[in-house]
Every structure is written in C-alpha cells, then in structure tokens.
C-alpha cells in the first residue's frame, strides 16, 4: 500500500510528548473505540472481535468512529494486545461479558517450547495490523496522528499464564517465584517480538507508540524492577535505535503503567517520552516523581464520566490546573467503561479544550 500520507494538520500530541509548548492540552481516551459507542456495538453484532482486528477496512472504520464524534487529538489503531499471543500460536477467544479467554494457557515452563512458535516473522504474522495502520493513516487524511500500541511483556505473560483476566495474577506470580529463569526467558521472547512489532507499526505509518503495562501494579516495587522495568526499558531503547538505523522518524513513545506510583521515578529516567498514569495518584505527586523532563498523560478516574456535566467540567478543570498545561496530555486513568454515556465523553473532551488554552503562545 502507498505510504505517502497527507500532511498532519494537528500535531498537538506529538509536540506535547516532546515537551514543546502547545496552544492547548491535547486529549485522547484509552479505549476510545469501544462498546460505549452505539455504532461500535452495532458493528460488533455483524463482526467478531478478531475479525475486525484482522480486516484492515473494518479496523480502520472502528478506529475512526470516535474521531468522527469527538474533538480528539489522536486516533489509536483498533486492535488488541492479545494479537501477540495469537501470533505466537496461542488461541484467544473474546467471550461476551467475560473478556479474553485463552483456553490453553501456559502451565509449566516446558509449555514455552510446546505451545509457542520460537522465531516468528512478526511483520508477516501481524501484517494485518500494519495494513490496518496504513489504511487508517490514509483515511485520517492528516486530521490527527495515529497511535500504534502493544502490550508490555509482563502484561502479556499474565494473560498467557492465567488464560484470561485475573484478580490476583497469582499463577503468573507463582512463575516469577518458582521459575524465575524461565520467566525471564519468556519475557525476553516477548520483548523481542514487541520491539519488532512496534518498529513495523512505525514503518506502516504509526506516529506515536503506546506500551500498555496494565498489570504492573500486581508486582510491587521489587518484582516490578526485576520482571517489568528491564524489558520495557529495552523496548524503548531498541525501538528508537532501530528506527534511527532504518532512517525512520523516531516517534514519541508512551508507557502506561497502572497502580504503580513506585515506578514513575525509574520510568522518568528511561527513554519513554510520556508516562501514562492512573487516577490513584495526585497529579502534583506524579509530577514530583517524574521530574520535569517527561510528559505525563492521564489521569481522570474513568468512573468520573458517570457524574453530571457540571461535575465533569469541574474535575477536568482541577486536573488541568494540577498537571499544568506544559508537558501534559489529558486522558482517563484507564480505559473508558462500556456503560458510559458518550455525551459525557464529549463533556470531558470539550472541557479539556476549554480549560487548557495557552493564551501566551
Ligand atoms: O483504545 C482503543 O480504542 C484501541 C483498541 C484497544 C482494545 N484493547 C480494544 C478492545 C486497545 C488499545 C486495547 C488494549 C488492551 N487489551 C489492554 C491494555 C489496556 C487496558 O485496558 O489495560 C488489555 C489488558 C487488553 C486485553 C483485553 N481486551 C481485555 C482485558 C478485554 C476485555 C475487557 C473489556 O473492556 O471488555 C479486551 C476486549 C476489548 N479490547 C474490547 C475492545 C473494544 C471489548 C470487547 C468487545 O468488543 O467485545
């Protein structure tokens, strides 16, 4: 597919990620293309979840749904973090009102060899994601940048061992204590795939990259430093190095971590341009931990969108005042919930526009 794209008309998020001053704070929302949108639910009645992921025209259409409705400053490619375990040979089902199910999870380290293809051609196995990205870039016509993403190794390992979501991640953490070396082997295998996957996404047209370490909070500081941090650090440094070697643009990278205030300081010394944080931390404390040389993203409680418009406006105003308009990208602290009224998302987005104008530039 042709990769000559239209000129970008709105680069607020890219400039904020790089620490440049912006006329106002950019805003997007995790899971902005999802079930809270009636048009998405209708689409899902006709198409299976992974059918959408695997069909570039369908994935592009869903990616654009929230962009058509709201004044968002970025699109995120419609896909899922679990396409990586699939590419490695694991079956993943998306079960209604349950979530993802991997019927044959990894139980013992020997399963790494038994169940997983060891040396996959990432660009080939996940070519449908790259095609969806290229097609979506064309369809966006430069309106806003397109974010590519991947799950981080530990979060992926969690789904591969638990066989789905989990309240404790105890099976996965049992591996960390019982089989630390084999756990590292699995994490390294995943890291290698994630690096290739993200570089391919940029080749295909992704303009920013977000890495989701959504399960980091289960680890606590010690396990995080051992089983998450080294791998997410390697991802940012290797992706950036590969992009430079390939003469590709070095796109801003965002790391999203959940429930781990303890990680913010170390992450601020890594090569990520942006740290995405959840709502359990005061913005000012987040800034204190992160220092001045990284952009923060977040962090309104997704449940705040159940409040009335006036309350939402007030919460957004407070949030922007405490983060400040410099080095800041507005977002929720985690994905939007399926039963949120989309009108309330509009209130959120419009309030960011209203309260974050920088009149001095
Ligand atoms: O943000 C976007 O709009 C882009 C698309 C996107 C999806 N999943 C679509 C999706 C992104 C970025 C993801 C990431 C993802 N997937 C994460 C990391 C972010 C996070 O929430 O922590 C994780 C852990 C997954 C795995 C996953 N996929 C879960 C746990 C679930 C079930 C929970 C839920 O919200 O239902 C999914 C399903 C999923 N992924 C849906 C969507 C729109 C809903 C399923 C459906 O349509 O039936």
């Amino acid at each position: 597919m042709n990769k000559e794209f239209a000129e970008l008309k709105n680069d607020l998020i890219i400039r904020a990620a790089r620490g440049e001053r912006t006329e106002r704070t950019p805003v997007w929302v995790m899971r902005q293309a999802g079930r809270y949108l009636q048009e998405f639910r209708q689409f899902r009645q006709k198409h299976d979840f992974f059918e959408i992921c695997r069909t570039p025209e369908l994935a592009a259409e869903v990616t654009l749904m929230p962009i058509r409705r709201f004044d968002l400053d970025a699109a995120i490619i419609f896909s899922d973090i679990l396409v990586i375990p699939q590419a490695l040979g694991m079956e993943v089902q998306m079960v209604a009102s349950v979530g993802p199910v991997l019927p044959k999870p990894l139980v013992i380290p020997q399963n790494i060899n038994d169940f997983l293809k060891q040396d996959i051609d990432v660009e080939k196995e996940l070519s449908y994601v790259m095609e969806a990205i290229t097609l979506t870039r064309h369809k966006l016509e430069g309106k806003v940048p397109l974010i590519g993403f991947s799950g981080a190794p530990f979060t992926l390992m969690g789904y591969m061992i638990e066989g789905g979501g989990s309240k404790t991640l105890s099976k996965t953490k049992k591996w960390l204590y019982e089989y630390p070396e084999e756990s590292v082997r699995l994490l390294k295998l995943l890291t290698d795939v994630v690096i290739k996957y993200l570089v391919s996404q940029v080749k295909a047209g992704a303009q920013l990259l977000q890495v989701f370490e959504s399960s980091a909070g289960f680890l606590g500081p010690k396990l995080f430093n051992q089983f998450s941090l080294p791998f997410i650090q390697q991802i940012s440094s290797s992706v950036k190095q590969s992009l430079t070697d390939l003469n590709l643009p070095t796109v801003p990278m965002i790391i999203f971590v959940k429930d781990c205030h303890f990680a913010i300081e170390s992450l601020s010394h890594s090569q990520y341009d942006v740290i995405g944080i959840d709502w359990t931390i005061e913005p000012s404390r987040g800034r204190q931990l992160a220092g001045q040389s990284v952009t923060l993203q977040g962090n309104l409680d997704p449940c705040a969108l159940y409040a009335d418009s006036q309350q939402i406006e007030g919460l957004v105003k407070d949030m922007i005042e405490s983060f400040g308009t410099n080095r800041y990208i507005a977002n929720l602290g985690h994905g939007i919930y399926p039963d949120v009224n989309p009108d309330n998302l509009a209130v959120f987005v419009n309030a960011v526009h209203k309260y974050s104008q920088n009149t001095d530039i």
Side-chain angles (χ1 to χ4, degrees), residues 76-322:
I76 178 161
I77 190 67
F78 187 84
S79 183
D80 199 85
I81 63 165
L82 299 174
V83 298
I84 287 188
Q86 274 180 339
L88 289 167
M90 294 183 82
E91 186 188 342
V92 184
Q93 302 160 354
M94 202 52 82
V95 182
S97 40
V98 175
V101 174
L102 293 81
K104 224 175 150 203
L106 307 178
V107 180
I108 49 166
Q110 180 57 36
N111 296 154
I112 302 175
N113 294 345
D114 299 342
F115 298 175
L116 304 181
K117 299 181 207 164
Q118 302 297 306
D119 199 14
I120 59 164
D121 180 342
V122 177
E123 209 151 333
K124 195 167 145 238
E125 290 291 338
L126 291 165
S127 57
Y128 61 91
V129 179
M130 302 349 139
E131 283 165 32
I133 288 175
T134 308
L135 181 64
T136 308
R137 271 291 300 270
H138 285 299
K139 291 200 170 193
L140 277 166
E141 296 175 328
K143 191 173 181 214
V144 290
L146 180 61
I147 306 174
F149 72 90
S150 171
F154 175 72
T155 296
L156 293 174
M157 175 184 178
Y159 281 96
M160 291 161 78
I161 293 176
E162 305 290 331
S166 157
K167 287 203 164 68
T168 57
L169 235 70
S170 59
K171 292 193 180 102
T172 312
K173 290 178 71 181
K174 183 168 184 275
W175 270 55
L176 304 182
Y177 286 107
E178 198 176 357
Y179 318 120
E181 279 168 26
E182 290 89 345
S183 295
V184 166
R185 210 183 114 220
L186 175 58
L187 289 164
K188 278 189 175 158
L189 188 154
L190 290 166
T191 302
D192 188 44
V193 173
V194 170
I195 292 167
K196 292 180 182 146
Y197 183 40
L198 291 173
V199 171
S200 306
Q201 291 188 38
V202 176
K203 274 199 223 165
Q207 292 154 295
L208 292 100
L209 295 171
Q210 175 152 318
V211 177
F212 285 94
E213 189 68 294
S214 305
S215 304
F218 288 100
L219 289 173
K222 207 168 151 86
L223 292 181
F224 176 81
N225 288 335
Q226 204 180 343
F227 295 106
S228 169
L229 185 63
F231 305 99
I232 52 188
Q233 274 175 334
Q234 201 198 324
I235 290 167
S236 57
S237 54
S238 299
V239 167
K240 290 195 168 173
Q241 188 59 52
S242 302
L243 294 176
T244 309
D245 294 347
L246 292 165
N247 270 326
L248 288 163
T250 49
V251 302
M253 292 183 73
I254 309 168
I255 178 76
F256 171 70
V257 283
K258 208 176 151 287
D259 303 316
C260 41
H261 309 184
F262 55 81
I264 297 173
E265 195 183 341
S266 337
L267 288 172
S268 72
H269 304 304
S270 69
Q271 289 198 39
Y272 288 94
D273 306 272
V274 184
I275 307 175
I277 55 176
D278 67 80
W279 64 95
T280 59
I281 185 156
E282 274 297 320
S284 54
R285 178 74 184 131
R287 177 51 73 201
Q288 204 180 19
L289 289 167
Q292 300 304 319
S293 55
V294 71
T295 296
L296 290 175
Q297 172 177 281
N299 74 342
L300 193 75
D301 179 359
C303 290
L305 298 188
Y306 296 128
D308 61 35
S309 325
Q310 218 183 345
Q311 279 190 75
I312 297 174
E313 284 220 355
L315 291 167
V316 170
K317 186 168 180 278
D318 288 350
M319 176 172 83
I320 293 170
E321 273 169 15
S322 16

Side-chain angles (χ1 to χ4, degrees), residues 32-33 36-37 39-40 43 56-76 135-136 138-141 143-144 342 345-346 349-350:
Q32 62 190 25
Y36 74 103
L37 288 176
E39 55 271 35
F40 177 77
F43 212 76
E57 290 74 21
L58 301 181
E61 182 53 33
V62 176
T63 304
L64 292 174
M65 284 177 182
I67 304 304
R68 294 198 178 106
R69 260 206 200 223
F70 311 106
D71 278 330
L72 293 159
D73 296 303
I76 178 161
L135 181 64
T136 308
H138 285 299
K139 291 200 170 193
L140 277 166
E141 296 175 328
K143 191 173 181 214
V144 290
L345 183 59
V349 172
N350 296 338

